[in-house]
Amino acid sequence: MPVTVLLVDDEPLVRAGLRAVLEAQPDIEVVGEAADGAAVIPLVRQLRPDVVAMDVRMPLLDGIEATRAVLRTVQDPPKIVVITTFENDEYVYEALRAGADGFLLKRARPAEIVHAVRLVAEGESLLFPAAVRRLAASHGEERGEEGARAAFARAGLTGREEEVLRLMARGLSNAEIAERLVVGTETVKSHVSAVLAKLGARDRTQAVIVAYESGFVAPG
């Protein structure tokens, strides 16, 4: 079965470009388009895409609120990749905190766009560690760090789970973490699942943001 994608962007040329790139792949199918976040929920319910490629800046309902709405109201929601012009855009950080699985720059090469869609469809998070560090450094002080530190302390991660989280924050995949720790991939998956459960995180992206905002991983 192909990976199905819904494109959400208020610029027709951006949607056309993304569609051309993605539909050139035999394992990806673009099932719909929307020009604003306000149209996302009905289309997600109707089309059941695997991945939503979501612009962050749109006139009626931006990608942040649209992401929150999808995750709040849609059962078994799709993966969400936000599309942005600038990687240091404050909207990107808010979208990641809202539950997006990662972000992609509009100037990304076609191969990077295809890789991003496949990656999130497989359950991985699309993180660019250097960019996330900069975003965390810029915005972390505004996010109630005391509360984040307390929440992290209550999670009670084991030493190995903390080690896995640090490697997640560096952008390593499960396979790369397994190689680094000299354990099986299934073992890493178990540790990742435990980290997410203890932190109350939807996915790897959310866990990494908690790690930065709590001070467990330094953004500098």
Side-chain angles (χ1 to χ4, degrees):
M1 295 290 291
V3 175
T4 55
V5 181
L6 172 64
L7 303 177
V8 185
D9 195 294
D10 62 335
E11 297 182 33
L13 286 177
V14 172
R15 297 200 308 273
L18 289 171
R19 177 181 281 274
V21 167
L22 295 174
E23 290 198 331
Q25 306 302 312
D27 60 332
I28 298 177
E29 178 185 0
V30 176
V31 293
E33 297 183 17
D36 194 85
V40 170
I41 289 180
L43 285 174
V44 166
R45 287 176 170 156
Q46 174 190 348
L47 302 172
R48 304 302 303 176
D50 299 310
V51 178
V52 176
M54 180 104 71
D55 188 17
V56 289
R57 293 176 179 266
M58 293 179 286
L60 297 178
L61 190 69
D62 64 38
I64 301 166
E65 291 304 321
T67 295
R68 290 194 182 110
V70 168
L71 299 180
R72 185 176 61 246
T73 63
V74 176
Q75 187 175 9
D76 191 20
K79 303 295 183 181
I80 298 176
V81 177
V82 293
I83 312 295
T84 180
T85 303
F86 305 106
E87 65 184 25
N88 63 346
D89 190 337
E90 65 180 272
Y91 278 68
V92 172
Y93 195 72
E94 289 296 340
L96 294 176
R97 294 183 82 250
D101 297 277
F103 70 92
L104 187 65
L105 297 176
K106 288 187 177 181
R107 65 174 182 272
R109 297 189 299 271
E112 293 173 329
I113 295 170
V114 171
H115 175 67
V117 168
R118 289 174 176 152
L119 193 68
V120 297
E122 292 170 359
E124 297 279 0
S125 291
L126 183 65
L127 284 176
F128 300 91
V132 174
R133 281 196 297 271
R134 287 194 297 271
L135 288 166
S138 299
H139 302 284
E141 293 180 359
E142 308 166 9
R143 304 304 174 191
E145 290 180 351
E146 289 298 329
R149 279 194 287 268
F152 188 87
R154 288 195 301 269
L157 300 185
T158 66
R160 179 46 64 95
E161 288 164 357
E162 290 184 350
E163 195 171 9
V164 168
L165 180 55
R166 287 191 181 94
L167 295 174
M168 289 165 58
R170 293 174 59 183
L172 273 64
S173 67
N174 286 348
E176 290 168 333
I177 294 173
E179 183 178 358
R180 184 70 58 88
L181 300 181
V182 195
V183 297
T185 304
E186 291 303 317
T187 299
V188 172
K189 288 181 180 179
S190 296
H191 287 314
V192 171
S193 295
V195 169
L196 300 187
K198 289 182 178 181
L199 294 179
R202 172 178 178 258
D203 56 23
R204 297 165 74 98
T205 304
Q206 302 301 297
V208 168
I209 287 176
V210 170
Y212 281 119
E213 293 191 346
S214 67
F216 173 72
V217 175

